[in-house]
Amino acid sequence: MTDDNADAADADSGVDPDDEWVSQLREMRAEKDEFFASDPQSPLDPAHSDGFDGLDYFDPNPAYRVEADVTVHDDLETTELTVRNGTAERFHEVATLSFTVPTADGDAVEETLSALRAEGSRALFLPFRDKTTGQQTYDGGRYMDLHPKGDLADVDAVTLDFNLAYTPFCAFSDAFACPLPPTENWLDVAVPAGERTPDLE
């Protein structure tokens, strides 16, 4: 999408294209597209790289940038996630994130996501499915990563930006394995934000 087309799409959706958040999001998407197109570590199969002209994204939408209350688990439980193209992987269930997300008819619903952490990692891993999964987005679900500052126990809330939701690498190549979202992270609402189903034709 060209800058002019992006600005027009933002105007149609009521988003100010000059907003700093929108500008940063556009820049991050451009950098990721460049990585996919030219970096040796790109997950793209060489058969698809020549015709690649960027990932497909939903238009930026601040309505899907929500504040989530954080409930840290006193006792860390371990969960095993089924992995596409690989073996099961273990994660610690470290917190539950509670938030409100808009619906297509203008209402809002309360949802939760289990925040996971791999052994030795500080980042929170949020694999999820929603009502776009298998329709407008990858059928294996999408991911978000959070990097809270300081001790998570000292954090009351975090920002969940579904505009940053991304497709796991296994959607682009069988050489990659990706954990599938646990059932507690299956949302009952469509989240039309972030990356769409990859177009690899």
Side-chain angles (χ1 to χ4, degrees), residues 49-103:
S49 59
D50 288 344
F52 179 74
D53 60 357
L55 297 170
D56 194 12
Y57 304 92
F58 290 101
D59 292 332
N61 190 337
Y64 293 101
R65 192 169 184 254
V66 302
E67 289 298 300
D69 294 329
V70 178
T71 302
V72 176
H73 299 173
D74 293 330
D75 297 317
L76 291 184
E77 293 187 11
T78 300
T79 184
E80 283 195 350
L81 298 189
T82 301
V83 175
R84 179 168 288 185
N85 302 337
T87 57
E89 291 187 15
R90 287 188 175 186
F91 293 85
H92 297 300
E93 298 180 9
V94 298
T96 298
L97 307 182
S98 305
F99 55 94
T100 300
V101 65
T103 62

Side-chain angles (χ1 to χ4, degrees), residues 32-198:
K32 184 166 187 178
D33 286 345
E34 178 63 25
F35 165 78
F36 267 67
S38 60
D39 195 283
Q41 301 300 316
S42 169
L44 277 182
D45 187 295
H48 300 298
S49 59
D50 288 344
F52 179 74
D53 60 357
L55 297 170
D56 194 12
Y57 304 92
F58 290 101
D59 292 332
N61 190 337
Y64 293 101
R65 192 169 184 254
V66 302
E67 289 298 300
D69 294 329
V70 178
T71 302
V72 176
H73 299 173
D74 293 330
D75 297 317
L76 291 184
E77 293 187 11
T78 300
T79 184
E80 283 195 350
L81 298 189
T82 301
V83 175
R84 179 168 288 185
N85 302 337
T87 57
E89 291 187 15
R90 287 188 175 186
F91 293 85
H92 297 300
E93 298 180 9
V94 298
T96 298
L97 307 182
S98 305
F99 55 94
T100 300
V101 65
T103 62
D105 58 8
D107 289 332
V109 296
E110 294 183 1
E111 293 279 6
T112 62
L113 285 174
S114 179
L116 309 177
R117 180 174 281 157
E119 188 70 40
S121 174
R122 292 188 56 83
L124 297 181
F125 176 52
L126 302 174
F128 72 97
R129 293 172 61 97
D130 66 282
K131 294 301 184 182
T132 71
T133 302
Q135 305 294 321
Q136 297 166 286
T137 60
Y138 178 55
D139 64 10
R142 291 181 290 166
Y143 296 166
M144 287 190 294
D145 299 317
L146 289 179
H147 302 271
K149 297 179 180 179
D151 191 330
L152 190 62
D154 298 328
V155 177
D156 294 326
V158 294
T159 299
L160 287 183
D161 190 349
F162 285 95
N163 293 276
L164 301 178
Y166 64 94
T167 306
F169 278 8
C170 66
F172 304 94
S173 171
D174 290 340
F176 294 89
C178 54
L180 300 177
T183 54
E184 61 265 30
N185 281 8
W186 291 19
L187 304 180
D188 292 325
V189 64
V191 182
E195 292 183 16
R196 294 175 179 265
T197 304

